[in-house]
Amino acid sequence: MTDQREVAIGRWSGQTSSVQDGLADLLAAYHLQTQAEKGEAVAGVDGLPDRYRVEIADPQAVFVDDVVLLALSGDTAVGCLVVTASVEGRSEVKRLWTDPAFRGRGVASSLVSAALTHAAESGVSTVRLSVWKWRAAAIALYERLGFTVTESWDERDQLVCMERAV
């Protein structure tokens, strides 16, 4: 049976170890799925590139200048999103992930909406993101939330770059 409890969105600031472990689990799932989708599947976190393992092991240090938003069902982290610090009036949304058991409940939309609110409150004029072209559902979500495809700022092949005014 699927848990139907309400999901709350909030800023992560290194709360309890269970929430920190939940964030690490979400980041691990995100990176493992992404590697598999790129055709570079690995057996576990130890097989991920160093830059991703560091995020999972110590998100507080890696995202020290950024805002990490978490979707919580009780004390369980069920979704995450990172909003980078503003550079020249722009922030970037990264690492959007929802636990598959909680998909279809508006968790991702709520996280992106909270990111846009945070950006507006921080004086950011534009929020941008990049998404792998095969993630059609994510692209559709971003388009529904007002993002449009823009010229790429990232050299990696198969990335779709999008942005939206705040």
Side-chain angles (χ1 to χ4, degrees), residues 10-158:
R11 291 183 186 181
W12 176 73
S13 56
Q15 294 109 323
T16 65
S17 61
S18 67
V19 172
Q20 182 162 333
D21 291 346
L23 174 59
D25 291 345
L26 292 168
L27 290 169
Y30 171 88
H31 288 301
L32 290 168
Q33 180 67 34
T34 300
Q35 287 300 110
E37 290 173 355
K38 291 191 290 187
E40 303 169 6
V42 295
V45 171
D46 290 341
L48 290 169
D50 290 344
R51 67 186 180 277
Y52 300 144
R53 285 197 322 269
V54 170
E55 280 185 18
I56 296 162
D58 195 358
Q60 196 160 7
V62 172
F63 301 124
V64 67
D65 295 326
D66 306 322
V67 171
V68 177
L69 298 174
L70 281 179
L72 297 173
S73 177
D75 290 335
T76 303
V78 299
C80 64
L81 178 146
V82 175
V83 184
T84 65
S86 176
V87 175
E88 297 177 5
R90 275 193 310 248
S91 286
E92 188 168 346
V93 167
K94 304 178 355 173
R95 308 300 184 255
L96 175 61
W97 184 258
T98 301
D99 180 320
F102 284 81
R103 291 187 180 159
R105 298 189 199 182
V107 173
S109 295
S110 295
L111 284 164
V112 174
S113 294
L116 293 169
T117 298
H118 166 74
E121 291 170 352
S122 301
V124 169
S125 61
T126 304
V127 173
R128 66 186 195 169
L129 58 88
S130 59
V131 59
W132 296 105
K133 73 177 187 178
W134 58 78
R135 290 189 168 157
I139 292 169
L141 167 71
Y142 296 135
E143 288 174 336
R144 279 194 310 274
L145 295 173
F147 286 84
T148 58
V149 175
T150 189
E151 185 176 328
S152 181
W153 60 83
D154 193 306
E155 297 298 321
R156 292 177 290 173
D157 190 32
Q158 301 193 52

